[in-house]
Amino acid sequence: MKTSNALAPGHAAPLGATFDGEGVNFAVFSEHATRMTLCLFSEDGKTETHRIDLPERNGDVWHGYVSGLKPGQLYGLRADGPYAPFHGHRFNYNKLLLDPYAKRLTGHPQWHDALMGYTVGDSKGDLSFDRRDSAPYMPRCVVEDPSFAWGDDHVRPMTPLSKTIVYEAHVKGLAQQHPDVTDKGGFLGLASDPMLEHLTKLGITAIELLPVHAFTDDRFLVEKDLRNYWGYQTLGFFAPDPRYLSKGALWEFQHMVARLHAAGIEVLLDVVYNHTCEGDEMGPTLSFRGLDNRSYYRLTDDHRHSINDTGCGNTVNVEHPMVMRMIVDSLRYWVEVMGVDGFRFDLCSTLGRTSRGFDRNAAFFQAVRQDPVLAHVKLIAEPWDIGPGGYQVGGFPPPFSEWNDKYRDAVRAYWRGDEGMVPELAERLTGSAVQFDHSGRPATASVNLLTAHDGFTLMDVVSYNDRHNEANGEDNRDGHGNNISDNMGVEGPTDDAGIIAARAQRRRNLMATLLLSQGTPMILAGDELGNSQSGNNNAYCQDNEIGWIDWDSTDPDFLAFVQRLIAFRKEHPILRQKRFLHSRERLVDGLQDLFWWRADGTEMEDDDWNEPDLSLLCAEMRMASGTPSYAAREEALFLVFNNGDDAELCLPAAPEKRHWVRHLDTASPESEPTPETTRDVTIAGQSVGVWVQELRDG
């Protein structure tokens, strides 16, 4: 093995491996290392050909320039320093480490005890020291030139949140079983014509991809012949996961983004900066732990143990300026180089944690909000973690939007028939103002969802009372126990025509409620097709038919209805308002922007909301007070949500030149818009109806 090569001091920025046309600059952060070594590998990755100590240290950045290297060069790192767990240090020069800024990896770690910094089985536990070389079991980093010819016609959609409809999808699971997709399992499959045709016909405006950053398959899953399907165990924050690169090239991701953009669809990434795949102090040494455990991770007061606010073993130390820099650099890279349009932050409360707990003005939020690149992309928080005070729905600063689980739970409970849910549904229908109407936040800050990757699919919400996670190998103990679901009389699939019809009706009601609510709607991929996971509400390890979308069982009638709902939402700006509706008088006509009506056509009073058997909600919506007027045929919408029996209604009075037209009826999903000839109408039990106040013809 050679120990020298054409070497120069290089530069401390940018971090990572940077090709300049003549060679590669390497720069790596470590505050506590005593030596940083660059390891070069042969073209096949099997032989470590060079070990080169980076010659310069600028502050806490080690750097050096190696001339003659080109894109495609395989490399790794070794860091020397103290192995002193009670001081937070776990350096072990025997372990090959991944560059945190690596733009591509050759694969994934192969589980072996040599990946551990300590000796597995030693009575000293993590205080022991393992001297085996981990390189045979580690992937290699790849020097990359990530430039891409986007083309003169490339335009980001830049869809406003008020017009955004998010579609949460798994890169592989979405296209894997599509009969017309040939390049399955990766970014190219998602960029294929059949997938683009489905997405555009559906009408979504943004696809939110489950984690695509390089991640590991947990050891305990591999030993059970399972996989980390969802991807919430990040190995590198700059590299796309190799399993999604069918040709092993970065351009595959960029090509996918360009194709989606050309179809008018934004690309959002679900990103996991709160923890890494290295787990707690008993986990492997793959990158961050070996480079500088005390800097990269939050540790307990004795420095030996990891703080676990994430439930995944460790917590990234966002308070450290160089760790913060890595996260922000990663975000900018995915926007500027890879072309994405925004991010959903997994366990985002963790990113706002300081030594004093969660802080909505924490350094992470300040860094993102002031950044000239990141301040203009979509930012969505998962507003909780498992640490103290971690549930923070409504507590994030603008411009962040947030997943709203209160919306999910209320809408499911209402349509399940739980008592006393009408006031709660009214709150969720109008943007959850109690959580979000502060600090100048818009109604679109609430990302409304019925389902997500974590939990039942929409079909399973109406088909199962209980989780059925036996395939996960944890004796059905994992996953949520409270699903707010209803099997409608039979657990799972049935041939009973009545139950099948009732489930279809319930799904229409749920989806209609979502797309008629103020806020930003998010649909789980496959829900529009009637996709089921057979009652598995925690399919994180099911890289198989359980986790993949079943295109062969598509419900074409429900798909057509969802397409119609999305089109209706796009056509009616009253549903897409950024301003909250608070029954305020409008300047344009002196009418309120929101009325709550009783079935008899009189306004709701305080006592009406407290009726225990109340099962009908009627809302008349207009453009919010202060909203500039616009030329449109509609003046108001009348929305009715009925989880009781058939009901007689009296529509609100309409001006002389206007009348009410029934546009949507979940009990008659194929019906065409029908003008009402009288104010007295009927709405079917267990259904949603929508009337539009339009100008009379002539």
Side-chain angles (χ1 to χ4, degrees):
M1 182 186 303
K2 298 180 180 179
T3 57
S4 62
N5 201 15
L7 185 64
H11 305 281
L15 290 165
T18 306
F19 174 65
D20 66 359
E22 298 181 357
V24 179
N25 188 82
F26 295 90
V28 183
F29 158 73
S30 180
E31 182 177 349
H32 298 103
T34 57
R35 176 172 55 146
M36 188 66 62
T37 302
L38 170 68
C39 304
L40 301 181
F41 288 86
S42 59
E43 189 172 336
D44 62 7
K46 295 180 179 180
T47 304
E48 190 174 350
T49 59
H50 296 76
R51 286 191 182 181
I52 304 169
D53 288 345
L54 296 182
E56 294 292 331
R57 178 174 180 172
N58 187 336
D60 296 325
V61 177
W62 303 75
H63 55 92
Y65 180 89
V66 184
S67 60
L69 297 186
K70 299 178 180 180
Q73 174 66 53
L74 306 184
Y75 74 101
L77 301 167
R78 297 181 188 270
D80 211 354
Y83 190 84
F86 281 111
H87 294 281
H89 303 312
R90 296 182 179 272
F91 293 97
N92 188 331
Y93 195 75
N94 301 291
K95 308 306 171 184
L96 185 71
L97 306 175
L98 299 178
D99 176 5
Y101 279 71
K103 297 179 178 66
R104 186 163 70 85
L105 304 179
T106 59
H108 304 88
Q110 300 174 36
W111 285 109
H112 190 277
D113 288 349
L115 296 177
M116 307 298 174
Y118 63 93
T119 303
V120 175
D122 192 292
S123 59
K124 295 180 181 179
D126 66 300
L127 299 181
S128 62
F129 187 80
D130 189 272
R131 299 185 181 280
R132 286 174 291 183
D133 186 359
S134 68
Y137 312 102
M138 285 290 291
R140 314 304 186 216
C141 305
V142 185
V143 174
E144 283 284 355
D145 178 0
S147 58
F148 180 74
W150 291 98
D152 294 337
D153 58 346
H154 177 254
V155 177
R156 291 177 181 266
M158 299 291 288
T159 308
L161 266 178
S162 60
K163 297 182 178 181
T164 293
I165 298 170
V166 180
Y167 186 79
E168 191 200 31
H170 187 281
V171 171
K172 180 178 182 179
L174 180 59
Q176 179 68 19
Q177 297 193 101
H178 195 293
D180 300 324
V181 173
T182 55
D183 198 337
K184 300 180 186 294
F187 300 125
L188 295 182
L190 187 54
S192 65
D193 288 342
M195 291 311 310
L196 293 176
E197 180 181 10
H198 174 73
L199 296 175
T200 52
K201 284 185 176 180
L202 182 60
I204 61 101
T205 69
I207 187 167
E208 180 179 300
L209 299 177
L210 267 67
V212 301
H213 289 173
F215 60 89
T216 60
D217 292 313
D218 308 71
R219 189 172 192 174
F220 78 94
L221 291 177
V222 173
E223 290 172 349
K224 293 192 292 185
D225 199 26
L226 296 171
R227 293 293 181 268
N228 175 14
Y229 174 56
W230 286 348
Y232 290 92
Q233 289 285 35
T234 304
L235 180 63
F237 295 116
F238 291 77
D241 194 273
R243 73 194 75 194
Y244 300 143
L245 298 173
S246 60
K247 301 183 183 302
L250 290 187
W251 64 259
E252 297 175 59
F253 181 92
Q254 295 160 314
H255 172 76
M256 175 196 72
V257 172
R259 292 270 288 165
L260 287 163
H261 282 178
I265 299 171
E266 294 183 304
V267 179
L268 313 180
L269 299 186
D270 192 336
V271 287
V272 188
Y273 295 109
N274 60 82
H275 75 280
T276 77
C277 64
E278 290 183 312
D280 63 15
E281 62 277 1
M282 304 305 293
T285 296
L286 307 175
S287 179
F288 313 97
R289 173 166 290 128
L291 288 171
D292 195 340
N293 183 66
R294 185 162 176 170
S295 294
Y296 277 105
Y297 296 121
R298 294 179 61 216
L299 305 176
T300 56
D301 290 341
D302 67 0
H303 301 300
R304 177 182 175 183
H305 302 289
S306 300
I307 290 176
N308 186 18
D309 286 331
T310 64
C312 300
N314 62 48
T315 304
V316 171
N317 184 18
V318 183
E319 283 195 283
H320 193 290
M322 292 301 289
V323 179
M324 171 74 74
R325 175 178 168 182
M326 176 188 70
I327 294 173
V328 174
D329 283 350
S330 169
L331 293 169
R332 286 200 202 102
Y333 173 79
W334 286 97
V335 173
E336 294 185 303
V337 177
M338 304 300 275
V340 307
D341 306 285
F343 306 93
R344 179 266 192 189
F345 295 91
D346 179 65
L347 302 184
C348 195
S349 293
T350 299
L351 302 180
R353 285 191 176 277
T354 69
S355 57
R356 301 172 301 281
F358 178 81
D359 182 355
R360 71 191 303 268
N361 291 312
F364 169 75
F365 300 128
Q366 293 186 25
V368 170
R369 294 171 74 188
Q370 63 80 39
D371 189 273
V373 172
L374 303 179
H376 301 291
V377 301
K378 290 180 171 63
L379 305 171
I380 302 171
E382 182 184 39
W384 49 75
D385 63 21
I386 69 164
Y391 187 78
Q392 292 290 332
V393 173
F396 287 74
F400 279 82
S401 300
E402 303 174 34
W403 274 24
N404 187 353
D405 64 327
K406 292 181 180 293
Y407 180 94
R408 175 198 65 201
D409 294 351
V411 174
R412 286 193 191 184
Y414 178 82
W415 287 112
R416 188 172 67 174
D418 294 11
E419 290 186 358
M421 291 304 301
V422 169
E424 183 75 4
L425 179 65
E427 180 66 47
R428 303 307 158 198
L429 182 68
T430 51
S432 299
V434 67
Q435 270 77 42
F436 296 100
D437 191 8
H438 63 82
S439 308
R441 303 185 76 183
T444 50
S446 174
V447 176
N448 299 330
L449 64 149
L450 300 169
T451 55
H453 67 274
D454 186 4
F456 278 156
T457 68
L458 188 63
M459 177 61 85
D460 289 353
V461 167
V462 302
S463 303
Y464 294 91
N465 286 346
D466 304 305
R467 66 191 176 206
H468 295 270
N469 299 352
E470 291 81 5
N472 295 358
E474 299 181 43
D475 297 323
N476 205 32
R477 294 190 302 267
D478 62 305
H480 297 295
N482 179 25
N483 295 288
I484 317 181
S485 60
D486 179 9
N487 66 20
M488 316 289 282
V490 173
E491 188 77 352
T494 179
D495 294 329
D496 187 300
I499 292 176
I500 293 173
R503 288 175 176 176
Q505 179 66 43
R506 180 73 56 83
R507 284 189 291 135
R508 290 194 295 269
N509 293 343
L510 287 161
M511 191 63 78
T513 305
L514 175 69
L515 290 164
L516 295 171
S517 297
Q518 269 194 289
T520 303
M522 186 185 87
I523 298 170
L524 173 64
D527 277 355
E528 77 280 12
L529 307 173
N531 185 62
S532 170
Q533 292 179 169
S534 301
N536 192 315
N537 73 352
N538 190 31
Y540 76 103
C541 56
Q542 299 298 329
D543 189 2
N544 50 46
E545 287 81 1
I546 293 175
W548 304 335
I549 290 175
D550 181 6
W551 290 87
D552 288 339
S553 299
T554 293
D555 179 344
D557 293 335
F558 188 66
L559 173 59
F561 184 69
V562 177
Q563 291 170 334
R564 182 177 178 184
L565 282 172
I566 292 175
F568 183 84
R569 182 179 180 87
K570 290 182 176 181
E571 293 165 0
H572 297 278
I574 287 176
L575 298 172
R576 300 184 279 100
Q577 300 183 67
K578 293 174 60 177
R579 295 174 185 256
F580 288 94
L581 305 179
H582 286 299
S583 299
R584 291 179 293 221
E585 186 175 287
R586 304 195 309 164
L587 300 178
V588 63
D589 57 11
L591 293 175
Q592 294 173 192
D593 52 26
L594 176 66
F595 295 88
W596 301 109
W597 296 104
R598 294 191 299 208
D600 64 4
T602 59
E603 286 194 61
M604 291 276 286
E605 297 180 357
D606 290 345
D607 289 344
D608 295 325
W609 293 100
N610 299 320
E611 289 290 334
D613 59 349
L614 185 63
S615 60
L616 188 72
L617 179 67
C618 304
E620 181 183 359
M621 293 182 178
R622 298 166 180 266
M623 296 304 290
S625 177
T627 302
S629 61
Y630 64 97
R633 288 177 58 85
E634 72 185 40
E635 179 65 25
L637 297 180
F638 187 62
L639 314 177
V640 181
F641 304 85
N642 179 21
N643 73 350
D645 298 328
D646 293 359
E648 301 298 321
L649 300 176
C650 181
L651 296 172
E656 181 179 355
K657 294 184 179 181
R658 293 182 177 271
H659 63 164
W660 290 105
V661 179
R662 190 188 308 225
H663 273 251
L664 291 173
D665 182 350
T666 62
S668 181
E670 298 180 2
S671 60
E672 296 296 323
T674 305
E676 302 290 0
T677 59
T678 175
R679 290 177 60 191
D680 297 320
V681 298
T682 301
I683 185 167
Q686 300 295 315
S687 71
V688 177
V690 182
W691 286 260
V692 179
Q693 192 183 105
E694 298 180 0
L695 288 169
R696 295 180 184 273
D697 292 335

